Amino acid sequence: MNLNGSRRRLGLRCRYTDHVRLALSLWALAWAFVAIPWRSFRPGPSLERVELIPFLDGSPRTQVLNVLVFVPLGIIGMRLGWSPRTVALVGAGTSALTELLQLFSTRRHPSVTDLILNTTGTLIGIALAIAWSNVRAIDAPERHVRS
């Protein structure tokens, strides 16, 4: 009976991990669809359009979207069991790759503001995942006692 219960828990854990991995894959596909300049590709980089001074331009709406788009990455990375440092580095690296790809776009331009905001979104996702885990840990003994 104990072995059977272990199998059930393992099965649930595997299905949960599979769902989180699927969420990561879907997020990565959405990122690739938006970040890669599929229709506006140019063969050489456009260095004159790089914004190196943060927060000079950009609408508040765009800035909020830059944060919100990376929040799921922080949550998903933490739910996969990655360390907060790893998740933050993946978020910052993905953001840096996004800005690097924009060097080759005729419609978009790289910005330090975007790099900061995207990384902030990842950090918010990490914080939300940690807070959610702490809430569940506090509630877990109560659920166990009631059962």
Side-chain angles (χ1 to χ4, degrees), residues 133-147:
S133 293
N134 290 341
V135 167
R136 288 189 56 163
I138 291 170
D139 287 345
E142 293 175 11
R143 284 189 211 147
H144 185 67
V145 170
R146 291 180 196 158
S147 299

Side-chain angles (χ1 to χ4, degrees), residues 4-125:
N4 208 8
S6 297
R7 285 183 187 162
R8 274 192 223 127
R9 280 193 301 266
L10 182 61
L12 288 174
R13 181 72 182 153
C14 289
R15 277 186 264 146
Y16 171 78
T17 304
D18 290 344
H19 289 134
V20 177
R21 286 181 181 154
L22 176 63
L24 179 62
S25 299
L26 292 174
W27 184 89
L29 282 171
W31 171 85
F33 182 75
V34 173
I36 298 173
W38 300 103
R39 295 184 187 183
S40 62
F41 181 78
R42 73 167 73 200
S46 176
L47 298 174
E48 65 275 356
R49 296 178 22 187
V50 177
E51 291 181 18
L52 293 175
I53 301 173
F55 302 105
L56 283 183
D57 286 332
S59 71
R61 178 179 177 261
T62 303
Q63 292 177 353
V64 168
L65 285 174
N66 275 325
V67 172
L68 291 178
V69 164
F70 274 74
V71 169
L73 180 60
I75 294 170
I76 292 166
M78 292 300 292
R79 301 308 292 160
L80 284 172
W82 300 348
S83 72
R85 180 179 181 190
T86 299
V87 177
L89 289 172
V90 167
T94 304
S95 179
L97 180 60
T98 302
E99 300 309 309
L100 179 69
L101 290 171
Q102 288 179 6
L103 283 171
F104 298 93
S105 174
T106 58
R107 296 181 188 158
R108 301 178 68 190
H109 57 279
S111 165
V112 173
T113 303
D114 292 351
L115 181 64
I116 292 168
L117 294 173
N118 294 343
T119 304
T120 300
T122 304
L123 295 174
I124 290 170

